[in-house]
């Protein structure tokens, strides 16, 4: 079997690591390709220099190599319609179609869908005019949330606690165009108080199978301070999402969303990712993503006992009802090691020391995100550089293992949060 994975981050490294263990890849001639990949991925897959949004180039490669299954990591190619193009060419591909991926590509579409189908979310207003947005802010109470409607790599959401911060957020999105066309439309919504939880689910458009819960740490600094990032670390499961609450989320959010998308003529196949806020009034949706999360995928793949290729094939064939996914009961923790300065300006090209020492630890995986090979050395090549991920008998052991591995790795300017999993440890006492 030949598999192509599209992407270059920690999520893709974790997916390829899991795919490489599939019974479907034991036959002679089985190969895994990744476009464009990174230094860590290159050790288990053949990296090809095609950009994630070069749909034509990816399609040509898949045809030439007779790829049996393509797996799409990032949101960009999904919103550009890579799934539609591959399916038109008769190729099997795992991911949401262009019209389905709009649930992430347009927060305005997503909010309207939730409103129409009664899916719990924050109250909101949509703006295309800066002055009207600022007038609205002056009438509303604080704190308040300002969001760019389009794709902004996880950085287009700003929680404002003062009017000055709120106005600055509107200007950043609409005037300074910090996120380009993603800021053509802007959403201002009520601030939801509570704990955030990520819930990802496989769906073939009818059956919805949830993965274990996870809790991401979005802010760059300890104690959830500083600007938002793509995610600085995550643990799974999240104790706050109890079995009772999970049933409620499935009943009131995940299943109605998949049914709603089908009713809209946008059948949803792939991974549906709900960013949830656990409020006093129950779970509410902060946003939907149309793909695997990053860094949530890293601990989830370490906890997944079932064959992921079989699950993906069942999604594509719309036969997910016949699948039971097995998960390791043990918790897993991922600590993101980032380049100094991220999410702002940062340096590339610093040599990473200690990777072999960390990789030698039991039940620890170092998933590469922003790395590259230079003169046979592994160097930094992005903001989020590594996702050091560990399994433990309990959350405390998983956290300790992850940070023990982190302590073995270094480069000039390295930064990571020191409090990943602390909340889960306190809840476990």
């Amino acid at each position: 079997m030949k598999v192509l994975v599209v992407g270059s981050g920690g999520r893709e490294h974790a997916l390829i690591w899991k795919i490489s263990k599939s019974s479907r890849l034991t036959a002679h001639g089985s190969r895994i390709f990744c476009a464009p990949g990174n230094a860590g991925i290159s050790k288990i897959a053949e990296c090809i220099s095609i950009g994630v949004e070069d749909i034509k180039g990816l399609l040509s490669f898949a045809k030439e190599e007779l790829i049996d299954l393509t797996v799409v990591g990032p949101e960009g190619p999904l919103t550009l319609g890579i799934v539609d193009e591959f399916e038109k060419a008769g190729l099997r591909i795992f991911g949401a179609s262009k019209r389905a991926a709009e649930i992430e590509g347009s927060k305005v579409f997503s909010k309207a869908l939730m409103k129409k189908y009664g899916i719990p979310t924050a109250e909101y207003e949509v703006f295309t005019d800066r002055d009207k947005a600022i007038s609205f802010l002056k009438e509303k109470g604080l704190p308040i949330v300002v969001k760019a409607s389009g794709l902004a790599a996880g950085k287009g959401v700003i929680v404002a606690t003062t009017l000055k911060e709120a106005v600055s957020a509107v200007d950043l999105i609409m005037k300074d165009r910090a996120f380009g066309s993603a800021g053509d439309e802007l959403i201002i919504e009520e601030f939801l108080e509570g704990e955030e939880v990520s819930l990802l689910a496989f769906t073939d458009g009818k059956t919805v199978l949830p993965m274990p819960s996870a809790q991401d740490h979005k802010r760059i600094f300890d104690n959830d301070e500083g600007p938002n990032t793509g995610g600085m670390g995550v643990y799974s499961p999240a104790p706050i999402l109890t079995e009772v609450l999970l049933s409620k989320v499935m009943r009131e959010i995940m299943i109605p969303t998949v049914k709603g998308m089908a009713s809209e003529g946008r059948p949803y196949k792939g991974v549906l990712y709900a960013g949830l806020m656990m409020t006093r009034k129950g779970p509410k949706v902060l946003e939907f993503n149309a793909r695997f999360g990053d860094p949530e995928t890293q601990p989830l793949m370490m906890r997944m006992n079932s064959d992921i290729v079989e699950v993906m094939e069942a999604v594509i064939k719309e036969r997910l009802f016949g699948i039971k996914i097995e998960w390791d009961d043990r918790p897993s923790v991922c600590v993101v090691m980032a380049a100094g300065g991220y999410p702002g300006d940062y340096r590339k090209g610093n040599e990473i020391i200690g990777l072999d020492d960390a990789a030698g630890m039991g039940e620890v995986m170092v998933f590469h995100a922003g790395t590259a090979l230079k003169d046979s050395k592994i160097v930094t090549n992005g903001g989020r550089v590594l996702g050091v991920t560990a399994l433990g008998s309990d959350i405390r052991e998983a956290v300790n293992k992850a940070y023990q591995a982190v302590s073995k790795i270094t480069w000039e300017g390295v930064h990571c949060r020191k409090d990943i999993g602390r909340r889960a440890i306190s809840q476990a006492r």
Side-chain angles (χ1 to χ4, degrees):
M1 184 178 194
K2 290 184 178 180
V3 178
L4 168 64
V5 176
V6 178
S8 62
R11 164 184 50 213
E12 288 75 32
H13 191 181
L15 287 170
I16 288 167
W17 171 77
K18 186 64 184 167
I19 288 165
S20 71
K21 298 177 179 298
S22 170
S23 61
R24 304 279 280 110
L25 276 91
T26 54
H28 179 69
S30 290
R31 293 161 80 184
I32 305 174
F33 300 92
C34 187
N38 60 42
I41 289 171
S42 70
K43 295 189 176 183
I44 49 173
E46 298 170 52
C47 293
I48 51 170
S49 56
I50 304 175
V52 297
E53 296 189 356
D54 181 1
I55 311 297
K56 197 178 283 186
L58 291 165
L59 183 57
S60 294
F61 177 83
K63 284 178 175 176
E64 285 166 22
E65 279 293 337
L66 303 176
I67 297 293
D68 298 294
L69 172 66
T70 298
V71 178
V72 187
E75 60 275 17
L78 293 172
T79 59
L80 290 171
I82 186 172
V83 169
D84 309 69
E85 293 304 314
F86 272 57
E87 286 181 345
K88 266 187 225 165
L91 294 171
R92 292 194 309 166
I93 183 166
F94 179 87
S97 68
K98 184 176 184 177
R99 280 169 57 75
E102 199 169 349
I103 202 166
E104 176 171 8
S106 168
K107 289 185 177 66
V108 169
F109 166 78
S110 180
K111 294 292 278 191
L113 179 89
M114 288 187 268
K115 189 174 184 178
K116 181 173 179 178
Y117 291 97
I119 295 158
T121 188
E123 294 294 317
Y124 72 101
E125 293 289 338
V126 178
F127 297 92
T128 54
D129 180 273
R130 173 196 176 271
D131 294 337
K132 286 180 181 174
I134 287 170
S135 296
F136 179 79
L137 283 174
K138 289 175 179 174
E139 295 168 16
K140 285 291 176 185
L142 293 159
I144 204 157
V145 183
V146 182
K147 296 180 175 181
S149 176
L151 298 177
K155 297 165 197 160
V157 177
I158 299 139
V159 177
T161 55
T162 67
L163 182 59
K164 185 181 178 184
E165 285 176 353
V167 171
S168 295
V170 170
D171 283 342
L172 182 74
I173 294 167
M174 299 196 95
K175 196 173 170 185
D176 303 341
R177 310 294 288 174
F179 308 108
S181 60
D184 289 348
E185 290 181 299
L186 177 141
I187 290 173
I188 298 175
E189 66 177 36
E190 69 168 319
F191 173 77
L192 295 178
E193 206 165 335
E195 256 188 72
E196 285 189 45
V197 173
S198 302
L199 185 68
L200 284 68
F202 292 103
T203 177
D204 60 2
K206 300 180 185 75
T207 302
V208 186
L209 292 183
M211 302 182 213
S213 61
Q215 190 166 75
D216 192 7
H217 299 63
K218 285 284 184 192
R219 304 288 187 128
I220 186 68
F221 299 124
D222 286 8
N223 304 312
D224 295 325
E225 293 179 359
N228 266 345
T229 69
M232 290 302 296
V234 64
Y235 57 83
S236 172
I240 194 168
L241 193 64
T242 62
E243 286 298 318
V244 171
L245 284 172
L246 173 61
S247 296
K248 186 178 174 70
V249 169
M250 292 300 293
R251 190 173 63 250
E252 297 181 4
I253 293 172
M254 305 301 278
I255 292 168
T257 298
V258 171
K259 284 184 174 175
M261 291 293 280
S263 298
E264 294 296 306
R266 300 167 183 260
Y268 195 101
K269 291 167 67 172
V271 169
L272 180 64
Y273 165 167
L276 306 169
M277 184 65 82
M278 311 306 287
T279 74
R280 286 180 188 171
K281 294 181 179 177
K284 293 190 178 185
V285 178
L286 292 170
E287 63 181 11
F288 282 115
N289 293 324
R291 35 76 194 181
F292 285 100
D294 190 346
E296 289 92 344
T297 303
Q298 288 86 307
L300 288 173
M301 289 303 100
M302 287 196 73
R303 293 189 63 203
M304 188 177 188
N305 289 334
S306 297
D307 188 322
I308 194 169
V309 175
E310 289 180 3
V311 176
M312 289 175 168
E313 288 179 328
V315 167
I316 292 165
K317 294 172 185 171
E318 296 181 18
R319 298 189 64 80
L320 200 56
F321 63 86
I323 293 286
K324 186 177 189 304
I325 306 176
E326 302 288 344
W327 300 94
D328 195 318
D329 289 335
R330 293 174 297 168
S332 183
V333 173
C334 172
V335 177
V336 171
M337 300 182 74
Y342 173 80
D345 294 333
Y346 54 84
R347 276 184 59 188
K348 295 181 181 181
N350 290 322
E351 184 183 354
I352 304 170
I353 309 294
L355 286 167
D356 290 340
D357 291 339
M361 292 179 60
E363 295 183 318
V364 170
M365 282 297 302
V366 179
F367 294 115
H368 290 229
T371 66
L373 281 169
K374 185 180 177 185
D375 301 325
S376 71
K377 292 175 181 174
I378 296 177
V379 300
T380 62
N381 193 45
R384 293 188 296 168
V385 179
L386 302 171
V388 181
T389 310
L391 272 171
S393 58
D394 57 24
I395 188 67
R396 187 183 296 277
E397 186 184 52
V399 167
N400 289 343
K401 270 192 197 174
Y403 277 109
Q404 196 181 336
V406 164
S407 72
K408 296 176 184 292
I409 304 169
T410 190
W411 66 84
E412 189 183 336
V414 62
H415 166 74
C416 71
R417 282 182 57 160
K418 302 293 193 296
D419 64 344
I420 305 301
R422 188 183 292 166
R423 185 182 284 135
I425 289 173
S426 68
Q427 289 172 343
R429 283 175 185 159

